[in-house]
Amino acid sequence: QVQLVESGGGLVQAGGSLRLSCAAPGSIFSIYTMGWYRQAPGKQRDLVAAITSGGRTNYADSVKGRFTISRDNAKNTVYLQMNSLKPEDTAVYYCNRADPVSWRPVYNYWGQGTQVTVSS
């Protein structure tokens, strides 16, 4: 089982920025498509952004132009730079390996996630 460790969340005012990190130590990370997902209270977990091994990206419409996903294969880490944050971005953010066609999560388990709270 690949360990997924998310970090970087916090409390920020609307309009602010955060950078999330997801480390997948010990995995053959570089060949995987990786995705960030989020789950707000009472809602389902949805894709936020994903990046293939070749750098192709996919974003939810709600975050296009504000969020940027990137990866450092040497560090087995994927990042999510979040700018111009809005209260509706408040959620627990998770990473997972993603299917490069459907963008659905591949692993049926999740890390602990990282809480992002945006105040108005």
Side-chain angles (χ1 to χ4, degrees):
Q1 177 166 310
V2 175
Q3 186 181 12
L4 303 167
V5 182
E6 302 95 345
S7 62
L11 173 63
V12 64
Q13 289 188 331
S17 299
L18 285 173
R19 187 193 194 205
L20 307 185
S21 299
C22 170
S27 68
I28 46 174
F29 174 87
S30 63
I31 67 171
Y32 292 161
T33 294
M34 295 297 296
W36 281 99
Y37 302 81
R38 68 185 180 188
Q39 187 169 25
K43 296 187 177 181
Q44 66 180 18
R45 186 152 32 200
D46 291 325
L47 175 73
V48 176
I51 185 168
T52 67
S53 59
R56 180 169 59 97
T57 57
N58 181 52
Y59 294 93
D61 288 343
S62 59
V63 307
K64 284 180 180 177
R66 299 188 298 122
F67 292 9
T68 302
I69 189 170
S70 61
R71 64 192 298 161
D72 185 336
N73 290 335
K75 296 182 178 179
N76 282 3
T77 301
V78 61
Y79 304 98
L80 186 68
Q81 177 67 44
M82 306 187 296
N83 299 328
S84 302
L85 282 161
K86 303 176 180 180
E88 51 264 43
D89 295 318
T90 296
V92 180
Y93 285 70
Y94 304 86
C95 67
N96 203 317
R97 180 181 168 189
D99 183 284
V101 175
S102 69
W103 306 110
R104 293 177 179 174
V106 170
Y107 299 135
N108 61 0
Y109 59 87
W110 299 88
Q112 82 287 350
T114 186
Q115 175 71 49
V116 172
T117 303
V118 185
S119 63
S120 58

